[in-house]
Amino acid sequence: MAGRERARMVAAGDDHKVTPAELFFDLVFVYAITQVTALMAAHPNPVRVVGAMAVLALLWWCWSAFAWLGNVVRADSGALFAVLVTVMTVVFVVSLAVPEVFADAPGGLPAPLVFVVCYGLVRVLHLVSYWVSSPGDTALRATLRRTAMISVAPPFALLLIGCAYDGTPRLALWLSAVAVDYGGIYVTGSSGWRVNSPGHFSERHGLIVIIALGESIVAMGVGMAGFPLTPAVIAACAAGLLLAASLWALYFRRFGEPAEHRLAALDGDERTRFARDVYTFLHLPLVAGVVLTSLGMKKVLTQVADTGHYGLAEPLHGTVAWALAGGVGVFLLGAAAIVLRSSGRRPTALLVGGACCLVAGPLVTLVPALLAVALLAAGVSVLVTAHGRAVGAAGAAAHAEA
């Protein structure tokens, strides 16, 4: 009897907090995100960047699916913890395959097929776990059936077909799979899905943003590994940390908390739709933006540290030049969309800043790499301050009208 009690899934209440089991689960995604950066860094061109973003979108779906499940069932309960450990193993294998998904190395198992099969297994484990967790919830089970038929099976078939091709055809099929998968969530509707604890749900997504920001710091360390520590390297690291800190402050001090409050104020299907839009969909650009910027930061540190091949006046070139500022632009535009969805207010500073960063690639190629990251860090810091003042002014005006 005691063994069966420990093995069952335990429902999470509205005061549920993130468990150590979920933090343990996130560790494998730290490695997965670094592998996406490595996938781009190996051949930094526009096609490879698009492919890496498709891979990231699939990995994000694996993580997000269990963030939802962990909100309704305790991750530290016996049955779900066993599932999480299994998923961690599968996702770790997925991560090992990431660098070869578009250029399979000779020998061993076919990396693209391993990636797709393991991805499909994660999606199936998620659906089965949800099914078992709510035996009496007919609405949820109906949604799970629709999800399996619309948002899991067709994309999985496209991913499998893509494994039979190389280059652009594989990328096109995989991008189609991502589009069908994400679009299918809207078709299946919000009925049956639940967000029991807004605090838990918000905290889970805040933690994954921190993981992404941590990857940008790791990328800097990897970029200068094997080279001497010089004043220029220290300056580049300081600028990179200021940039990461500015993005952190924007999320955790400007729009993360209001989004959580809005989520808590809603209930039923309205809460579910808000969670889907703001957290499942709009947090992906935040993570993707940081991953793209990490690619630029890694190259900046390499150029600054490798004095035998680069001078301090050397700028970034090509795709990595765009990624440095463009990644920040993706993050800022994602942040703007979250603010708009949460409050209905148009965040002008974020929209203008994001658009400028998105098209700043040609300018980055004109200035030394170290100067580029320093200017970007300073600019984002000023933008965060400007956005904060605008929010404060809007809040004061609304209070005065009330």
Side-chain angles (χ1 to χ4, degrees), residues 246-314:
S246 297
L247 296 179
W248 178 92
L250 177 62
Y251 183 90
F252 288 97
R253 293 185 175 178
R254 294 292 183 260
F255 68 87
E257 188 174 347
E260 179 184 347
H261 291 165
R262 177 61 177 163
L263 179 67
L266 300 172
D267 54 23
D269 286 349
E270 286 189 4
R271 175 184 286 184
T272 301
R273 286 191 291 269
F274 183 86
R276 176 199 63 193
D277 295 345
V278 168
Y279 291 95
T280 300
F281 285 95
L282 294 179
H283 270 61
L284 176 56
L286 304 184
V287 175
V290 175
V291 171
L292 288 167
T293 300
S294 298
L295 173 64
M297 286 302 308
K298 182 177 182 180
K299 186 61 176 176
V300 167
L301 265 294
T302 297
Q303 289 192 186
V304 171
D306 188 3
T307 55
H309 294 88
Y310 302 97
L312 284 180
E314 181 79 14

